[in-house]
Amino acid sequence: MTTGFLRVLAVDDEPPALDELAYHLRADPRVARLHTAGDATEALRVLRDGDVDVVFLDIRMPGLDGMELARVLRRFARPPAIVFVTAYDDGAVDAFDLGATDYVRKPVRAERLAESLRRVIGSRVVPSHPAALARAEEDPTIPIELAGTTRMLPRSAVRWVEAQGDYARLHTADGSHLVRVSLATLAERWADAGFVRIHRSYLVQLKLIAELRLANSGYVVVIDGTELPVSRRHTRELKDKLVRAAKQDWNR
């Protein structure tokens, strides 16, 4: 893509933080136009007067805070991408719920903001494009911590999920990530995406099950060569879902 094509809005109620954020964004050649706002009301005025591709948004602000503003933006006919910029990490789960593209910790660094812009472009091309919006809705992201940095993991990368107390461990093809969300919450939110509960401690992507077989202690499924237990209460339902999925594939 050519340089200078993104329309960006930066929102922060603290002038020094807003100035620093704006400085780094203006220096990025992919940013064609930058607007700034000191609160949600001013941000909505900017958005009323023209389209914006991505909003870099502080969370803790007086009046309408960043999370509340993000919920308003989601109702737009062409909602912009959201990148939260905050000094705190306790909003990561809510960011996941809202489909944020990224979650950046303060103090901001130029290379970290550059990575956020790459994520905006890579996940949505131009966020206001309807086809890109549809793709983002079909494959939401999950905030994960990597070496002190919060990154957004596409749900499509998750193979299976393991409960660990009030947390969940997301297993991908190249590793695993612990997130602060319960397995029950993910099972409810991801049911329409093909994830099924096979045990009180496991949630799996149905289409990735390579094998269901009887072992010494009961049934197990095999995903990526890993055996996962299937509880008795979930066995019949899982068999039915596998049969239905196979019939659908056969009839295509």
Side-chain angles (χ1 to χ4, degrees):
M1 299 181 72
T2 58
T3 60
F5 55 90
L6 284 175
R7 300 160 293 184
V8 180
L9 170 61
V11 186
D12 198 310
D13 66 301
E14 297 180 358
L18 182 59
D19 290 344
E20 182 182 18
L21 179 59
Y23 172 80
H24 290 307
L25 289 171
R26 285 194 180 99
D28 194 292
R30 292 163 296 187
V31 175
R33 186 166 70 246
L34 176 69
H35 302 279
T36 60
D39 56 32
T41 301
E42 187 178 355
L44 289 171
R45 281 199 294 267
V46 171
L47 292 162
R48 179 195 60 196
D49 295 337
D51 290 334
V52 168
D53 294 315
V54 54
V55 179
F56 284 80
L57 180 58
D58 186 27
I59 292 180
R60 299 191 181 183
M61 299 187 296
L64 198 68
D65 68 21
M67 290 293 179
E68 292 167 330
L69 177 56
R71 292 186 181 94
V72 172
L73 300 184
R74 286 191 69 187
R75 297 198 292 269
F76 280 27
R78 290 185 171 184
I82 299 293
V83 174
F84 287 111
V85 183
T86 177
Y88 309 94
D89 62 4
D90 56 1
V93 172
D94 289 333
F96 155 51
D97 288 342
L98 291 168
T101 301
D102 207 351
Y103 192 96
V104 178
R105 293 287 300 279
K106 294 179 180 178
V108 297
R109 296 177 289 110
E111 58 270 26
R112 185 65 183 89
L113 292 179
E115 171 65 20
S116 290
L117 291 172
R118 282 194 292 272
R119 289 176 179 274
V120 169
I121 296 164
S123 65
R124 300 190 175 203
V125 186
V126 175
S128 59
H129 193 284
L133 284 174
R135 287 196 298 274
E137 291 171 358
E138 290 170 2
D139 192 14
T141 55
I142 308 99
I144 59 171
E145 291 291 330
L146 289 173
T149 299
T150 303
R151 301 290 177 86
M152 308 305 283
L153 176 74
R155 182 178 63 190
S156 60
V158 178
R159 318 289 285 181
W160 49 281
V161 185
E162 179 182 5
Q164 294 192 350
D166 294 331
Y167 289 70
R169 183 166 294 279
L170 311 179
H171 292 265
T172 66
D174 55 2
S176 67
H177 310 280
L178 193 66
V179 295
R180 194 184 306 172
V181 61
S182 70
L183 189 73
T185 297
L186 290 179
E188 179 181 352
R189 293 175 182 169
W190 291 2
D192 292 341
F195 283 84
V196 297
R197 194 77 172 261
I198 62 168
H199 188 277
R200 62 185 175 85
S201 297
Y202 295 99
L203 179 71
V204 305
Q205 174 56 268
L206 186 71
K207 66 183 180 181
L208 298 179
I209 294 176
E211 186 178 349
L212 170 67
R213 60 181 171 81
L214 188 61
N216 294 334
S217 57
Y219 278 94
V220 297
V221 297
V222 179
I223 296 180
D224 296 339
T226 300
E227 292 186 357
L228 303 175
V230 181
S231 64
R232 289 184 179 180
R233 65 180 293 239
H234 290 100
T235 299
R236 173 52 57 190
E237 182 182 6
L238 177 60
K239 287 181 177 179
D240 290 343
K241 287 182 177 179
L242 286 170
V243 169
R244 287 198 299 270
K247 287 181 177 178
Q248 290 174 356
D249 290 340
W250 182 261
N251 292 327
R252 284 177 182 172

